[in-house]
Amino acid sequence: MTQKKYRYALIGCGFFAQNHLNAWSQNPDVELVATCDVDFEKAKTAAAIFGGRAYESAEELYANEELDFVDIATTPPTHKMMVELAAANGVAAICQKPLAWQMPDAKAMVRAMADKNLPFMVHENFRFQTPMRKIKEVIDSGAIGRPFFGRIYFRTAHDVYSAQSWLVESERMIIVDVAVHLFDLARYFIGEPKTIFASAQRVNPKIKGEDSATILMHMEDATCIVDASYETKSDNNTYPQTFVIIEGTRGSVTLSADYQLQIISEDSVTNEKITIPDHGWTTEPWNGIQDSVVNINRHWIECLKTGNIPETSGLDTLKLLDITLGAYESIDSGQVFNVGSLLK
Ligand SMILES: NC(=O)c1ccc[n+]([C@@H]2O[C@H](COP(=O)([O-])OP(=O)(O)OC[C@H]3O[C@@H](n4cnc5c(N)ncnc54)[C@H](O)[C@@H]3O)[C@@H](O)[C@H]2O)c1
């Protein structure tokens, strides 16, 4: 018997959605039945390339299509409306990050999906990068002992604004755009922080929000530094790579430029270049991120098939959002933020 294909629609056919569409196109378990974008030309172009019918509004999409899930890749201000619309129509959903700008909105979105018992995942893809899965394996194997220090960073001079012009006007910028992913990696590798302290600057005067941020995260028995910048003139070649250092009681694991992984354990040192799988449509320098979309999509389908809760479920993402929004509270107050405060 052939397995049923999950019927999905892609809502928001802009810059990053191209990775979603390409990644889904190689997934044998799904069928793209529709694309949707308020910029109708984008929806039509995506449908012409990847298949399905094109819609200009999500309401019209739900009125005309039977869907198993929607993949929401619109910009953040629309996420709440989109997730609530999916819930109202009884359709499971994946939503791009950041989930929301405000915690009450995020809670309402999670509640709306939970009330209907609908699977709900946030597209928090950095932990699904092949090198990050490998680092997690190393930590879980015990090879470096108990992690007590981490540094997770993303620093570049790459012009992110020409492909994503909405970032120029965004009052909140690099923390919600990229540090959110690094916080998630810190949680994934080391655990939940108890407190955080954040400092940020706006270096580029042409933008509204912060483009450089450093956050100190205190875990139960570890410290992790997360830092991100879009104005690091010394580095124009490694975008969009994330670097990681995790030190443990018995060794360390370090991911450096071009996916070089070094594992130091009590009695050995290994150096390995992690190969990013080639999916045909993936291209350097984006391949590491593009591959993570293939992996997170696969994880979602696995969860739909098994009924398992996705690693980056809406509920789990409330904890991530608490840290992310807490970083802004720390910047505004100049004080340490007690993690969990926004969840109460
Ligand atoms: N996870 C990652 O690695 C990653 C990378 C880049 C962007 N993103 C996220 O992806 C999302 C989209 O970012 P982008 O840079 O691709 O933006 P974009 O502006 O290029 O694309 C967004 C699209 O959504 C459409 N849209 C807006 N409102 C709509 C509505 N009400 N109905 C239908 N379509 C609507 C826009 O017309 C646009 O085509 C953001 O949440 C961003 O944070 C994630």
Side-chain angles (χ1 to χ4, degrees):
M1 205 179 81
T2 48
Q3 169 78 37
K4 146 192 173 15
K5 281 187 189 268
Y6 293 96
R7 295 166 56 82
Y8 90 99
L10 202 297
I11 307 181
C13 304
F15 166 69
F16 202 74
Q18 304 312 308
N19 296 322
H20 293 226
L21 288 160
N22 273 298
W24 284 124
S25 73
Q26 70 179 86
N27 189 310
D29 291 317
V30 299
E31 178 191 350
L32 175 64
V33 297
T35 60
C36 170
D37 201 302
V38 281
D39 182 341
F40 195 35
E41 284 309 311
K42 286 191 192 169
K44 284 196 284 191
T45 303
I49 299 170
F50 296 97
R53 289 162 288 277
Y55 292 92
E56 204 167 358
S57 88
E59 288 82 357
E60 201 192 332
L61 163 75
Y62 288 112
N64 288 285
E65 303 290 350
E66 284 287 317
L67 299 167
D68 292 310
F69 72 92
V70 285
D71 191 10
I72 301 165
T74 55
T75 33
T78 58
H79 288 175
K80 179 170 186 278
M81 179 272 271
M82 285 297 171
V83 170
E84 289 181 342
L85 201 55
N89 284 280
V91 175
I94 308 171
C95 181
Q96 256 296 351
K97 48 58 61 172
L99 183 54
W101 293 132
Q102 308 291 343
M103 186 57 86
D105 287 352
K107 284 181 178 168
M109 293 156 81
V110 171
R111 205 178 312 116
M113 295 299 279
D115 283 352
K116 295 279 184 79
N117 222 0
L118 292 166
F120 179 33
M121 178 177 85
V122 178
H123 187 107
E124 184 43 71
N125 55 322
F126 271 36
R127 66 162 69 193
F128 287 93
Q129 291 179 58
T130 295
M132 304 307 173
R133 300 311 265 193
K134 176 74 187 173
I135 292 173
K136 177 70 170 160
E137 244 174 60
V138 171
I139 295 170
D140 287 351
S141 76
I144 67 160
R146 177 182 63 75
F148 65 86
F149 173 82
R151 182 177 172 211
I152 303 174
Y153 56 112
F154 188 111
R155 309 189 74 83
T156 183
H158 178 85
D159 167 23
V160 294
Y161 308 108
S162 49
Q164 294 176 280
S165 57
W166 61 276
L167 291 176
V168 173
E169 295 299 321
S170 193
E171 304 259 346
R172 291 176 167 180
M173 216 276 283
I174 203 166
I175 293 177
V176 277
D177 194 48
V178 91
V180 61
H181 294 304
L182 312 185
F183 296 145
D184 186 57
L185 287 172
R187 298 171 64 227
Y188 183 51
F189 295 145
I190 305 178
E192 300 295 340
K194 301 268 179 212
T195 61
I196 62 167
F197 183 76
S199 168
Q201 293 82 37
R202 179 181 54 193
V203 181
N204 182 342
K206 295 190 179 127
I207 67 161
K208 278 210 175 129
E210 78 290 348
D211 52 11
S212 170
T214 306
I215 299 97
L216 189 62
M217 306 174 78
H218 297 274
M219 282 79 173
E220 180 78 51
D221 46 13
T223 304
C224 185
I225 301 166
V226 156
D227 57 293
S229 152
Y230 287 156
E231 291 298 329
T232 299
K233 308 296 184 208
S234 57
D235 194 339
N236 208 3
N237 297 317
T238 60
Y239 180 84
Q241 295 175 39
T242 299
F243 299 140
V244 178
I245 301 167
I246 306 289
E247 295 180 13
T249 48
R250 295 178 58 218
S252 65
V253 54
T254 306
L255 178 68
S256 48
D258 302 325
Y259 310 111
Q260 289 291 341
L261 192 75
Q262 181 178 68
I263 304 162
I264 299 181
S265 183
E266 266 167 358
D267 45 10
S268 68
V269 178
T270 55
N271 290 291
E272 181 190 351
K273 183 176 162 73
I274 304 291
T275 305
I276 307 297
D278 180 0
H279 300 291
W281 58 275
T282 47
T283 49
E284 287 186 20
W286 297 99
N287 54 339
I289 300 282
Q290 290 169 324
D291 172 55
S292 73
V293 181
V294 174
N295 297 338
I296 193 171
N297 286 358
R298 199 183 292 130
H299 176 65
W300 169 252
I301 295 300
E302 226 22 69
C303 291
L304 289 186
K305 285 182 180 172
T306 58
N308 289 345
I309 307 285
E311 280 182 34
T312 59
S313 68
L315 194 58
D316 182 76
T317 301
L318 293 184
K319 289 192 219 162
L320 178 61
L321 197 65
D322 174 61
I323 297 166
T324 310
L325 300 178
Y328 289 102
E329 291 214 353
S330 175
I331 291 162
D332 291 345
S333 67
Q335 306 290 315
V336 161
F337 172 78
N338 289 313
V339 173
S341 307
L342 300 173
L343 295 175
K344 289 175 189 149

